[in-house]
Amino acid sequence: MKNTLLKTAFGVLGLSLFATQASAATGCLAKKQEIEQQIQWAQQQGNTHRVAGLEQALSEVNDHCTESGLEKQRQEKVNEKTLKVREREEDLAEAQTKGDQQKISKQQRKLEEAREELREAQAQLTK
């Protein structure tokens, strides 16, 4: 019983330490640590297919990830999401011109979703 409690305590401490390090890491290192954490979770769940896919992803990160390449990829995503927000704003303006309240509500929801996607992409720039 005592051993089980100690193992659990050390396991939780190790995971919290790992999570703290992962949140402090940026760029390729953060990406690598996130995948490693997902591998651990998949192994704990016994999900062998997910583990195999994540190990392949980790291999790709190890082989091809560069800080400049990752930054460029994330900036492209921000640009793409910014364009999507502009398109949704235009769609909303068009719906407002027509005066159809149902379409206006629909376009407002789509615009808010696009803005949230943009915020998430912008947050990735600092990781």
Side-chain angles (χ1 to χ4, degrees):
M1 178 71 176
K2 203 174 198 180
N3 273 346
T4 304
L5 186 58
L6 282 174
K7 287 179 183 177
T8 303
F10 283 121
V12 170
L13 180 61
L15 283 176
S16 65
L17 247 173
F18 181 78
T20 302
Q21 289 174 341
S23 65
T26 59
C28 293
L29 179 59
K31 196 170 189 174
K32 180 180 174 181
Q33 288 177 344
E34 184 178 327
I35 294 170
E36 289 171 340
Q37 185 177 28
Q38 289 179 20
I39 289 172
Q40 287 180 344
W41 289 335
Q43 287 171 334
Q44 290 172 355
Q45 299 298 318
N47 191 339
T48 56
H49 294 291
R50 177 115 172 105
V51 170
L54 288 166
E55 286 175 344
Q56 177 64 35
L58 183 58
S59 175
E60 292 292 321
V61 167
N62 286 332
D63 292 345
H64 303 291
C65 188
T66 64
E67 296 302 319
S68 61
L70 187 59
E71 178 71 23
K72 181 181 176 188
Q73 182 182 29
R74 288 176 174 171
Q75 186 59 54
E76 287 172 357
K77 188 155 195 154
V78 168
N79 295 344
E80 173 189 317
K81 298 301 179 181
T82 301
L83 180 60
K84 186 174 181 179
V85 166
R86 285 191 199 126
E87 290 171 357
R88 296 295 187 208
E89 288 171 340
E90 290 172 7
D91 292 344
L92 176 58
E94 186 179 323
Q96 288 171 331
T97 301
K98 292 180 180 178
D100 184 345
Q101 191 56 45
Q102 198 171 22
K103 285 191 178 197
I104 291 171
S105 296
K106 179 181 177 182
Q107 294 304 328
Q108 285 173 331
R109 279 193 313 275
K110 286 186 172 189
L111 175 58
E112 189 50 44
E113 288 172 10
R115 285 180 175 157
E116 180 59 30
E117 290 174 7
L118 175 59
R119 282 190 288 273
E120 290 171 8
Q122 289 170 332
Q124 289 294 315
L125 280 174
T126 60
K127 282 190 173 183

